PDB file of all heavy atoms in Angstrom:
ATOM      1  N   PHE D 363      28.066 -27.069 -37.423  1.00  0.00           N
ATOM      2  CA  PHE D 363      26.716 -26.731 -37.856  1.00  0.00           C
ATOM      3  C   PHE D 363      25.702 -27.416 -36.954  1.00  0.00           C
ATOM      4  O   PHE D 363      25.914 -28.537 -36.478  1.00  0.00           O
ATOM      5  CB  PHE D 363      26.478 -27.190 -39.292  1.00  0.00           C
ATOM      6  CG  PHE D 363      27.023 -26.263 -40.345  1.00  0.00           C
ATOM      7  CD1 PHE D 363      27.280 -26.745 -41.618  1.00  0.00           C
ATOM      8  CD2 PHE D 363      27.279 -24.929 -40.079  1.00  0.00           C
ATOM      9  CE1 PHE D 363      27.773 -25.912 -42.612  1.00  0.00           C
ATOM     10  CE2 PHE D 363      27.770 -24.082 -41.058  1.00  0.00           C
ATOM     11  CZ  PHE D 363      28.017 -24.579 -42.331  1.00  0.00           C
ATOM     12  N   GLY D 364      24.581 -26.719 -36.756  1.00  0.00           N
ATOM     13  CA  GLY D 364      23.470 -27.286 -36.017  1.00  0.00           C
ATOM     14  C   GLY D 364      22.428 -27.866 -36.959  1.00  0.00           C
ATOM     15  O   GLY D 364      22.746 -28.344 -38.055  1.00  0.00           O
ATOM     16  N   GLU D 365      21.179 -27.796 -36.558  1.00  0.00           N
ATOM     17  CA  GLU D 365      20.079 -28.384 -37.318  1.00  0.00           C
ATOM     18  C   GLU D 365      19.990 -27.780 -38.718  1.00  0.00           C
ATOM     19  O   GLU D 365      20.128 -26.559 -38.892  1.00  0.00           O
ATOM     20  CB  GLU D 365      18.772 -28.151 -36.568  1.00  0.00           C
ATOM     21  CG  GLU D 365      17.542 -28.753 -37.229  1.00  0.00           C
ATOM     22  CD  GLU D 365      16.278 -28.470 -36.437  1.00  0.00           C
ATOM     23  OE1 GLU D 365      16.382 -27.973 -35.300  1.00  0.00           O
ATOM     24  OE2 GLU D 365      15.185 -28.741 -36.971  1.00  0.00           O
ATOM     25  N   ALA D 366      19.759 -28.608 -39.711  1.00  0.00           N
ATOM     26  CA  ALA D 366      19.648 -28.145 -41.089  1.00  0.00           C
ATOM     27  C   ALA D 366      18.343 -27.404 -41.299  1.00  0.00           C
ATOM     28  O   ALA D 366      17.352 -27.613 -40.579  1.00  0.00           O
ATOM     29  CB  ALA D 366      19.736 -29.332 -42.056  1.00  0.00           C
ATOM     30  N   ASP D 367      18.332 -26.525 -42.285  1.00  0.00           N
ATOM     31  CA  ASP D 367      17.121 -25.817 -42.682  1.00  0.00           C
ATOM     32  C   ASP D 367      16.535 -26.461 -43.929  1.00  0.00           C
ATOM     33  O   ASP D 367      17.219 -27.232 -44.625  1.00  0.00           O
ATOM     34  CB  ASP D 367      17.448 -24.346 -42.893  1.00  0.00           C
ATOM     35  CG  ASP D 367      17.769 -23.654 -41.574  1.00  0.00           C
ATOM     36  OD1 ASP D 367      16.843 -23.455 -40.777  1.00  0.00           O
ATOM     37  OD2 ASP D 367      18.945 -23.339 -41.325  1.00  0.00           O
ATOM     38  N   PRO D 368      15.273 -26.158 -44.273  1.00  0.00           N
ATOM     39  CA  PRO D 368      14.592 -26.956 -45.303  1.00  0.00           C
ATOM     40  C   PRO D 368      14.936 -26.608 -46.746  1.00  0.00           C
ATOM     41  O   PRO D 368      14.418 -27.261 -47.652  1.00  0.00           O
ATOM     42  CB  PRO D 368      13.110 -26.677 -45.022  1.00  0.00           C
ATOM     43  CG  PRO D 368      13.093 -25.340 -44.364  1.00  0.00           C
ATOM     44  CD  PRO D 368      14.335 -25.276 -43.543  1.00  0.00           C
ATOM     45  N   GLY D 369      15.773 -25.609 -46.998  1.00  0.00           N
ATOM     46  CA  GLY D 369      16.109 -25.273 -48.368  1.00  0.00           C
ATOM     47  C   GLY D 369      16.668 -26.467 -49.122  1.00  0.00           C
ATOM     48  O   GLY D 369      17.578 -27.145 -48.640  1.00  0.00           O
ATOM     49  N   TRP D 370      16.154 -26.723 -50.311  1.00  0.00           N
ATOM     50  CA  TRP D 370      16.528 -27.927 -51.047  1.00  0.00           C
ATOM     51  C   TRP D 370      18.001 -27.926 -51.434  1.00  0.00           C
ATOM     52  O   TRP D 370      18.614 -28.986 -51.527  1.00  0.00           O
ATOM     53  CB  TRP D 370      15.657 -28.066 -52.295  1.00  0.00           C
ATOM     54  CG  TRP D 370      14.228 -28.363 -51.982  1.00  0.00           C
ATOM     55  CD1 TRP D 370      13.711 -28.767 -50.781  1.00  0.00           C
ATOM     56  CD2 TRP D 370      13.117 -28.269 -52.881  1.00  0.00           C
ATOM     57  NE1 TRP D 370      12.347 -28.929 -50.876  1.00  0.00           N
ATOM     58  CE2 TRP D 370      11.953 -28.633 -52.157  1.00  0.00           C
ATOM     59  CE3 TRP D 370      12.989 -27.909 -54.216  1.00  0.00           C
ATOM     60  CZ2 TRP D 370      10.688 -28.650 -52.742  1.00  0.00           C
ATOM     61  CZ3 TRP D 370      11.727 -27.918 -54.804  1.00  0.00           C
ATOM     62  CH2 TRP D 370      10.593 -28.295 -54.074  1.00  0.00           C
ATOM     63  N   LEU D 371      18.568 -26.752 -51.682  1.00  0.00           N
ATOM     64  CA  LEU D 371      19.990 -26.655 -52.001  1.00  0.00           C
ATOM     65  C   LEU D 371      20.759 -25.897 -50.930  1.00  0.00           C
ATOM     66  O   LEU D 371      21.879 -25.439 -51.180  1.00  0.00           O
ATOM     67  CB  LEU D 371      20.198 -25.979 -53.366  1.00  0.00           C
ATOM     68  CG  LEU D 371      19.631 -26.707 -54.588  1.00  0.00           C
ATOM     69  CD1 LEU D 371      20.058 -25.990 -55.868  1.00  0.00           C
ATOM     70  CD2 LEU D 371      20.070 -28.162 -54.632  1.00  0.00           C
ATOM     71  N   SER D 372      20.178 -25.775 -49.741  1.00  0.00           N
ATOM     72  CA  SER D 372      20.901 -25.150 -48.633  1.00  0.00           C
ATOM     73  C   SER D 372      22.098 -26.021 -48.256  1.00  0.00           C
ATOM     74  O   SER D 372      22.009 -27.250 -48.266  1.00  0.00           O
ATOM     75  CB  SER D 372      19.990 -24.961 -47.421  1.00  0.00           C
ATOM     76  OG  SER D 372      19.010 -23.980 -47.688  1.00  0.00           O
ATOM     77  N   PHE D 373      23.177 -25.376 -47.925  1.00  0.00           N
ATOM     78  CA  PHE D 373      24.424 -26.091 -47.679  1.00  0.00           C
ATOM     79  C   PHE D 373      24.504 -26.752 -46.310  1.00  0.00           C
ATOM     80  O   PHE D 373      24.918 -27.912 -46.202  1.00  0.00           O
ATOM     81  CB  PHE D 373      25.585 -25.107 -47.876  1.00  0.00           C
ATOM     82  CG  PHE D 373      26.922 -25.603 -47.410  1.00  0.00           C
ATOM     83  CD1 PHE D 373      27.536 -26.692 -48.027  1.00  0.00           C
ATOM     84  CD2 PHE D 373      27.575 -24.991 -46.363  1.00  0.00           C
ATOM     85  CE1 PHE D 373      28.779 -27.149 -47.602  1.00  0.00           C
ATOM     86  CE2 PHE D 373      28.819 -25.425 -45.932  1.00  0.00           C
ATOM     87  CZ  PHE D 373      29.422 -26.511 -46.547  1.00  0.00           C
TER      88      PHE D 373
END
Side-chain angles (χ1 to χ4, degrees):
F363 279 158
E365 182 181 350
D367 291 289
W370 292 346
L371 297 186
S372 291
F373 169 65

